[in-house]
């Protein structure tokens, strides 16, 4: 079933891609191969290959149970939030929180996770910013 | 003996304090990356690229650092294979078959020493192969026009899909997704925007480093979250005695090392077949030749030497098409290609003419790094064993955060970070569905050049598409591509590691 859904998703993607390709402006110069040709080929091959998993699906993968899915969605949300808040909160604070949360979800006790988060954050800050001179996100306090 | 004098010049480039230090650092980091299960050569190198890039390292030092990591990871993978029965990375899978039984017999030290020496032999002779074969291939590549290049790129995708994956259709889908991503942004030839949907961030296209780090490193974090609590690592069961191999054992395994080096190197040079295939073929062939008493799989030293020599030789071999043609044959060489492209260096025949110092400096550094690795991996192996005991629940958050630092360092854009997380989720889903990730990376990397050569070829012939099949070279390349894609369907069951067909391969890192 998973493979069939994947195939159909790819087929839809190919259709969307091909329609988008047909709206590409052609520019002023007439050339034998314009900017649309290569995307047309890609879209066509994608559509044809997508048929295979629909008709001949592999054995379904072992998807994680509900709890696992929630864990993964939560981790992805933490990472998105991290990316979003980085310029506001500054590197050290955001990284400490994000690393601590991830470590906690991977099975560390809350106190140890908090310590690990701070250690990871400060460690990266010292090595990459102070020693190697990489520019990291500056928050309201300059770090 | 042109190659030798170029190599001598290369040693002058490599013998600076900075380059030697970077080679040492790369070897050290590489061994750790290889040894840690879940961190393999391709995502290790992927995380380090943005860092090397933002630190402003010039091309030669940056390449020396990263290829040392690549070689180092090939050495490091064996440590956890032997001690824990968990391959540190995919190429080290075959080493578990005889390495772990040896460790259980109390021969862990011998197995580590022997595999270290086998790794050295494989990598050393493969680097010599690189010295002599790459210039020959460059000579051939100079005859290539745009139509030939288009066929060559198609060949790379076809063999990658045919040999290295379990399902051809899924490999083709992956390649097309990658190529499709590469078309996003302003088209350089016609100057029009494609697939940007009026989003300013998309005009410059999707940065391939963002895609690589997301697909490889971030998706790994999700896989760990799913499998958390399963199979804790511990080395308590095995005692590490002195790490030396008796001379008799070396003598016994010498033939295995020699044969495996040759086989591994050939497997590495073939586009699409990386170090995993090298170690697999080496082990299988060696088993057929030497296993007369049925000792393979029960701790036969030759079963440890063969895959290790094979995968290190394949790692060297895989650099040949990447440097000489600009067409990587495996996951990690694709990532190394990304590094070169990020530095505005296009590999291929022109690289050898325009930047000989880069190529030969790199090759010389590989020789030096290989010796450093041998010294590091035998007397100091217990140090790496200790690193193995860092639990993933601390390691994976650190890996994720370092990935963010690297990508943020390149662009300073939070949009890129979000795209990276998006790629991480996509990578996780695709891995679950058994869709290979390497064709996606290759598509993103090569898409631009592939389209350019297609358009040039047809433009030169004034709109006649038959130009793509007009020369004997193009016909030969297309024929190879079709054979490479179709033949494994027929004989594939014999070519592929059976263990890799089991679901645990989802978490394994491509080489």
């Amino acid at each position: 079933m998973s493979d069939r859904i994947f195939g159909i998703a790819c087929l839809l993607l190919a259709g969307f891609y091909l329609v988008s390709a047909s709206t590409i402006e052609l520019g002023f110069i007439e050339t034998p191969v314009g900017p649309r040709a290569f995307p047309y080929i890609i879209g066509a091959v994608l559509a044809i290959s997508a048929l295979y998993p629909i008709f001949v699906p592999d054995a379904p993968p072992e998807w994680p149970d509900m709890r696992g899915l929630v864990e993964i969605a939560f981790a992805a949300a933490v990472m998105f939030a991290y990316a979003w808040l980085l310029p506001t909160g500054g590197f050290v604070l955001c990284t400490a929180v994000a690393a601590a949360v991830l470590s906690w979800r991977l099975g560390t006790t809350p106190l140890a996770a908090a310590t690990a988060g701070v250690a990871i954050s400060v460690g990266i800050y010292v090595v990459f910013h102070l020693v190697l001179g990489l520019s990291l996100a500056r928050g309201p306090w300059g770090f | 003996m042109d190659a030798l004098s170029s190599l001598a010049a290369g040693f002058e480039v490599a013998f600076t304090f900075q380059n030697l230090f970077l080679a040492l650092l790369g070897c050290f980091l590489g061994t750790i990356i290889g040894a840690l299960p879940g961190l393999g050569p391709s995502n290790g190198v992927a995380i380090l690229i943005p860092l090397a890039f933002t630190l402003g390292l010039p091309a030669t030092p940056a390449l020396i650092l990263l290829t040392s990591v690549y070689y180092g990871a090939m050495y490091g993978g064996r440590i956890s294979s032997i001690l824990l029965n968990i391959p540190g990375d995919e190429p080290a899978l075959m080493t578990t078959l005889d390495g772990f039984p040896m460790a259980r017999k109390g021969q862990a030290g011998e197995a580590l020493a022997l595999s270290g020496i086998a790794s050295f032999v494989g990598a050393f002779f493969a680097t010599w192969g690189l010295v002599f074969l790459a210039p020959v291939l460059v000579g051939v590549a100079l005859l290539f026009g745009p139509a030939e290049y288009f066929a060559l790129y198609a060949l790379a995708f076809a063999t990658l899909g045919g040999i290295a994956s379990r399902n051809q259709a899924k490999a083709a889908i992956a390649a097309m997704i990658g190529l499709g991503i590469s078309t996003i942004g302003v088209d350089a030839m016609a100057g029009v925007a494609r697939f940007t949907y009026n989003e300013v961030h998309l005009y410059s296209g999707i940065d391939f480093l963002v895609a690589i780090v997301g697909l490889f490193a971030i998706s790994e974090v999700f896989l760990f979250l799913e499998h958390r609590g399963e199979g804790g690592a511990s080395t308590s069961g095995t005692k590490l005695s002195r790490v030396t191999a008796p001379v008799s054992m070396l003598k016994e395994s010498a033939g295995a090392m020699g044969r495996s080096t040759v086989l591994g190197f050939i497997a590495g040079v073939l586009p699409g077949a990386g170090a995993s295939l090298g170690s697999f073929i080496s082990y299988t062939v060696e088993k057929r030749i030497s296993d007369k008493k049925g000792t393979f799989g029960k701790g036969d030293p030759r079963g440890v030497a063969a895959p290790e020599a094979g995968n290190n030789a394949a790692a060297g071999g895989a650099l040949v098409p990447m440097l000489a043609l600009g067409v990587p044959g495996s996951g990690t060489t694709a990532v190394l290609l990304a590094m070169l492209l990020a530095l505005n260096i296009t590999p291929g025949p022109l690289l050898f003419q325009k930047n000989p110092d880069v190529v030969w400096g790199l090759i010389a550094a590989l020789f030096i790094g290989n010796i450093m690795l041998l010294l590091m991996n035998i007397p100091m192996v217990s140090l790496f064993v200790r690193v193995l005991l860092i639990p993933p629940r601390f390691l994976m958050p650190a890996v994720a955060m370092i990935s963010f630092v690297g990508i943020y360092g390149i662009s300073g854009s939070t949009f890129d970070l979000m795209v990276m997380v998006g790629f991480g989720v996509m990578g996780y889903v695709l891995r679950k569905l058994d869709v290979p990730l390497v064709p996606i990376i290759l598509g993103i990397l090569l898409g631009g050049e592939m389209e350019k050569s297609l358009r040039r070829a047809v433009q030169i012939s004034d709109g006649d598409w038959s130009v793509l099949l007009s020369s004997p070279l193009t016909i030969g390349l297309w024929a190879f591509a079709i054979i490479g894609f179709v033949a494994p369907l027929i004989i594939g069951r014999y070519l592929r590691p059976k263990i890799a067909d089991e679901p645990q391969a989802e978490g394994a890192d491509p080489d």
Side-chain angles (χ1 to χ4, degrees):
Chain A
M1 199 57 212
S2 298
D3 263 20
R4 296 226 160 100
I5 297 172
F6 173 65
I8 292 168
C10 286
L11 210 55
L12 292 175
L13 179 70
F16 175 69
Y17 185 80
L18 285 171
V19 171
S20 302
S22 68
T23 62
I24 295 170
E25 289 174 54
L26 284 179
F28 303 107
I29 319 153
E30 273 293 308
T31 46
V33 192
R36 287 181 190 172
F38 194 57
Y40 280 155
I41 300 174
I42 295 172
V45 178
L46 180 59
I48 296 167
S49 348
L51 293 176
Y52 185 82
I54 295 179
F55 291 108
V56 195
D58 287 343
E62 261 180 59
W63 291 104
D65 52 12
M66 204 51 212
R67 212 189 52 91
L69 284 180
V70 172
E71 289 283 357
I72 289 165
F74 179 68
V78 168
M79 290 187 203
F80 270 115
Y82 173 76
W84 184 264
L85 294 173
L86 198 54
T88 337
F91 175 80
V92 174
L93 178 68
C94 287
T95 307
V97 174
V101 172
L102 287 179
S103 174
W104 171 51
R105 289 325 307 160
L106 280 163
T108 319
T109 56
L111 191 66
T115 321
V118 172
I120 288 170
S121 171
V122 173
I124 292 178
Y125 187 78
V126 169
V127 173
F128 291 107
H129 184 71
L130 298 183
V131 178
L132 297 174
L134 211 69
S135 65
L136 300 173
R138 278 172 185 278
W141 314 282
F143 55 80
Chain B
M1 290 292 98
D2 237 11
L4 287 183
S5 60
S6 312
L7 185 61
F11 270 102
E12 278 169 39
V13 177
F15 268 117
T16 65
F17 180 72
Q18 188 200 24
N19 289 346
L20 288 176
F21 174 73
L22 286 172
L24 187 67
L25 182 71
C27 292
F28 183 74
L29 287 175
T31 309
I32 291 179
I33 286 171
L36 288 168
L39 256 187
S42 53
N43 55 29
V45 176
I47 296 168
L48 290 175
I49 285 181
L51 294 175
F53 191 54
T54 36
L55 290 175
L57 289 181
T60 315
L63 253 186
I64 288 176
L65 173 68
L66 292 170
T67 37
S68 304
V69 171
Y70 177 42
Y71 265 40
M74 293 293 154
Y75 272 80
R78 78 193 207 286
I79 300 175
S80 42
S81 291
I82 292 172
L83 295 179
L84 307 177
N85 201 21
I86 303 169
D89 46 29
E90 207 183 321
L93 196 66
M94 306 310 288
T95 313
T96 57
L97 299 182
D98 274 293
F100 188 62
M102 267 185 93
R104 272 205 303 212
K105 283 199 286 185
Q107 293 182 311
E110 283 90 337
L112 284 172
L114 176 68
S115 56
I117 292 166
S119 297
F120 175 79
V121 170
F124 181 74
F125 288 105
T127 313
W128 276 115
L130 173 63
V131 168
F132 291 109
L133 187 61
V136 176
L137 211 55
V138 163
V140 178
L142 285 171
L143 304 172
F144 282 17
E148 282 82 2
Y149 265 106
F150 184 69
L152 181 67
Y153 293 134
L155 169 72
F157 285 113
T159 50
L160 193 64
I163 299 175
S165 66
R166 282 178 286 281
N167 184 328
Q168 264 79 353
K170 285 183 178 174
I173 290 173
M176 291 309 127
I177 292 175
L179 288 174
I181 293 171
S182 80
T183 58
I184 297 172
V186 174
D187 169 30
M189 288 179 95
V192 295
R194 297 193 292 185
F195 309 107
T196 51
Y197 310 105
N198 292 324
E199 170 70 54
V200 179
H201 294 293
L202 289 178
Y203 275 82
S204 52
I206 302 271
D207 191 328
F208 41 74
L209 293 176
V210 173
I212 290 173
V213 177
L215 285 175
F216 285 156
I218 301 294
S219 71
E220 194 72 45
V221 178
F222 294 138
L223 276 175
F224 260 91
L225 266 174
E226 184 194 332
H227 295 297
R228 78 164 216 225
E230 292 170 25
S234 99
T235 51
S236 53
T238 43
K239 263 219 164 118
L240 204 55
S241 46
R242 279 188 321 138
V243 186
T244 48
V247 180
S248 59
M249 192 185 271
L250 287 177
K251 261 190 195 155
E252 190 194 358
S253 321
M257 286 185 206
R259 282 185 289 273
S260 304
T261 301
V262 175
L263 283 171
F265 183 72
I266 295 171
V269 173
L270 289 177
S276 306
L277 191 78
S279 72
F280 173 71
I281 289 184
S282 304
Y283 184 83
T284 330
V285 170
E286 194 54 38
K287 193 175 171 187
R288 257 180 224 155
I289 294 177
S290 315
D291 190 16
K292 299 206 174 80
K293 292 179 197 147
T295 47
F296 271 60
K298 293 176 191 142
D300 191 309
R302 289 168 299 182
V304 174
E308 278 306 311
N311 80 34
N312 284 273
L319 288 173
V320 174
M322 196 277 276
L323 288 173
L325 303 174
V327 178
S330 66
T332 316
T333 46
V335 178
L336 287 171
L337 176 69
M339 168 83 212
L340 286 174
L341 294 177
L343 290 164
N344 260 332
I345 292 176
T346 315
L350 290 179
L351 176 64
F352 280 73
Q353 293 175 341
K354 278 195 210 149
N355 306 75
D357 54 318
V358 174
V359 180
W360 295 104
L362 168 68
I363 295 175
L366 289 178
F367 278 112
I368 299 168
N370 206 14
I371 291 168
M372 289 176 177
L373 278 167
L374 181 69
L375 296 178
M376 239 181 237
N377 269 277
I378 293 188
M380 286 166 63
V381 78
S382 51
L383 180 73
F384 294 110
V385 174
R386 228 160 280 153
V387 176
L388 268 182
L389 297 173
I390 298 179
R393 60 198 159 97
F394 296 128
L395 183 74
M396 293 322 284
V399 167
M401 292 304 136
I402 293 174
S403 312
F404 279 108
V405 168
I407 295 298
Y408 188 82
I410 298 176
S411 58
S413 131
T414 53
F415 177 80
D416 279 355
L417 294 183
M418 290 183 203
V419 173
M420 181 177 88
V421 179
F423 271 111
V425 175
M426 178 174 137
Y428 169 75
V429 174
L430 293 179
R431 273 172 150 186
K432 291 303 278 185
L433 289 168
D434 202 19
V435 176
L437 299 181
V438 177
I440 302 184
I441 300 297
L442 212 57
I444 301 176
L445 286 173
L446 298 181
E449 284 299 312
M450 190 170 179
E451 180 175 16
K452 232 187 264 170
S453 41
L454 171 73
R455 283 159 83 169
R456 277 208 194 113
V458 181
Q459 222 137 328
I460 292 168
S461 71
D462 220 10
D464 181 8
W465 286 73
S466 68
V467 67
L468 296 176
L469 279 171
S470 59
S471 75
L473 256 175
T474 50
I475 295 171
L477 287 168
W478 279 107
F480 253 117
I482 292 167
I483 294 170
F485 193 70
V486 177
L489 282 177
I490 305 155
I491 54 167
R493 292 291 133 196
Y494 305 101
L495 260 176
R496 223 172 7 246
K498 285 217 173 54
I499 308 173
D501 275 342
E502 284 166 24
Q504 63 114 321
E506 107 203 347
D509 182 44
D511 55 280

